[in-house]
Amino acid sequence: MTYLSVQNLSVRIKGGGPLLRSVSLDVAAGHVHGLVGESGAGKSMIGRAILGILPKAVEVVSGAILLDGVDLLALPPAQRRVRVGASCALIPQDPLTALNPSRRIGRQMTDRLVDILGWTRGDAEARALALLAEVQITDPARVLRQYPHELSGGMRQRILIASAFAAEPKLIVADEPTTALDVTVQKQILKLIAGMQVRHGTALLFVTHDLGVVSKVCQSLSVLYAGKVVETAEVRAFFAAPQHPYSAALLAATPKYTDPDAGLHPVPDAVIAAVRAEVGHD
Amino acid sequence: MALLRTILLRLVTTAVTLLGVAVIVFVVIRVVPGNPIAMMLPPGATGEDIARLTALYGLDKSILQQFLIWGAGVLQGDFGTSITARQPVLAMVLARLPATLELSTFALLMAVLAGGAAALTGTRLRETKVEGGIDIAGGMALSVPDFLWGLVLILLFGVLVPVFHISGRVTPSLDLPFITNFYLFESLVRLRLDLTLDLVSHMFLPALSLAIPLAAIIAQLLKQSLKETMHLDYVTLARTQGYSEASVIWREALPNAVLPTLTLVGVQFTFLIGGTVIIERVFSYEGLGNMAIDAVINRDLPLIQGIVILFAVLFTGVNLVVDLMYATLNPRLRHG
């Protein structure tokens, strides 16, 4: 059952060049789909378009974003906002800037459950406590009363993950959720997200530049270059035999920590030239 | 604990500041030309008369001696006697203080409301013609000083369309039941709204003259900080949660953007209090500032000293309040 279907989505800078070129991708309910590509390939832009948080200078040219069969781009802004707020969530990249510094954690986790989804304050607080316990935060009651600056980066990312699952969304966009974290924390957070996803049965669009992460967390993936999807595949098939030359080169470029003598294999210039010509990027 | 230490430290620095202010004022008003004795005596007074009167007010002593005598009095709560009014300075000054406090607080309130509303509207409608309009209006408001606004407002709303009073603090024929000099406050407490209306109608134009430039400063600075905050991740996150643009601005951006504005408003508020001196003159408003000008004209040395010291206390008090508010609003400063 496809839950999210992005169809021929094109996005550009207002009065400028294209950022996404006719992107299509499907995420089935309860599945984890990876979105990989280099910096600037447009990975995050897809997530932003789905959630309706494109920068002001960016506009959708054409395409459709079907969420449970309803085209978000055809909805009036207020309806779209409420629909997305109720059924989707974002796990942001940088936990240090994604929490409001002047508000307590408790309010930041519960306010929207009360304001937007109409829960009672008591229900929302109970839910926040349970979720903080689920993301292995000790003494959740105390954390709810704390301010972001009193907590470590890893703690804050756990809180943001808990918060993303709070309203049992059908789809979560995880935008490079481990990139800003310390290497030792990255692995725990990854495991946590994967575990939560399985327990809650949420569909997950996992944006990352790390193919290693994709192989651990995702079931399928799309490879993006210069705003165009060059390959979509099941994870198992992709890592066995990538079909597109650029994907193959990207996979080969992933450093292998098990073999320190292997050296680095950057994507060859010829492959880059070929893929550029293919997507029409100059 | 930290708070207590801050306050104590502040009290010490305040004492030093006040001493400095006292010394400067004391010396300056005795060094500049003109003296109160000459103002008091009729033309043709003999040298003997002048000497007697000078000795009577202690002005024949050296400046240092005069300062020590005055300082000893101040420490016991005696600010001397006004030369022109022949009344205790402290009582005179305290009687006028409420009028000025009410005027400047009313002006501050107007500036915060108008400036805040302009900043929020400008942020909500950023990069539109409305924001451009707000910027232009702000620029105009700032490029005209407060006393000129006073004259403009008198012409507009006192002469052309006379809707407000342009002179005094209250209609003199009214029977006032007040026991304090905080007329506006007391009229509200006593629910004498007829008097409140009369007081506000007198206070409105002078307060507006003082508020216009400050409102423009608040609008510009707050809008700038709001717009910077609107790009931050927690604001974006709130958008994905279903909050409307207006509630995102109000809930997420404002509590953080308000901090730099608060500091500036504190500094600007002291300027506003300073501005009351001329504005009260323009509107014949019976406050401290008007009294200060009369005192200077008459070379009423003890009265000038008393007023300046009181203004200095007011300024440092405002700064202390701002610092405490900042600490309360910014959770990162609250602990440790």
Side-chain angles (χ1 to χ4, degrees), chain B residues 242-262:
Chain B
Y243 283 105
S244 70
E245 184 73 7
S247 38
V248 165
I249 294 173
W250 182 259
R251 294 166 43 88
E252 305 289 335
L254 188 62
N256 295 293
V258 85
L259 292 173
T261 312
L262 183 67

Side-chain angles (χ1 to χ4, degrees), chain B residues 255-288:
Chain B
N256 295 293
V258 85
L259 292 173
T261 312
L262 183 67
T263 315
L264 185 97
V265 168
V267 176
Q268 290 292 330
F269 185 49
T270 57
F271 290 150
L272 188 149
I273 297 175
T276 59
V277 173
I278 293 176
I279 288 295
E280 286 182 3
R281 195 65 170 185
V282 171
F283 287 90
S284 310
Y285 184 90
E286 296 115 28
L288 260 183

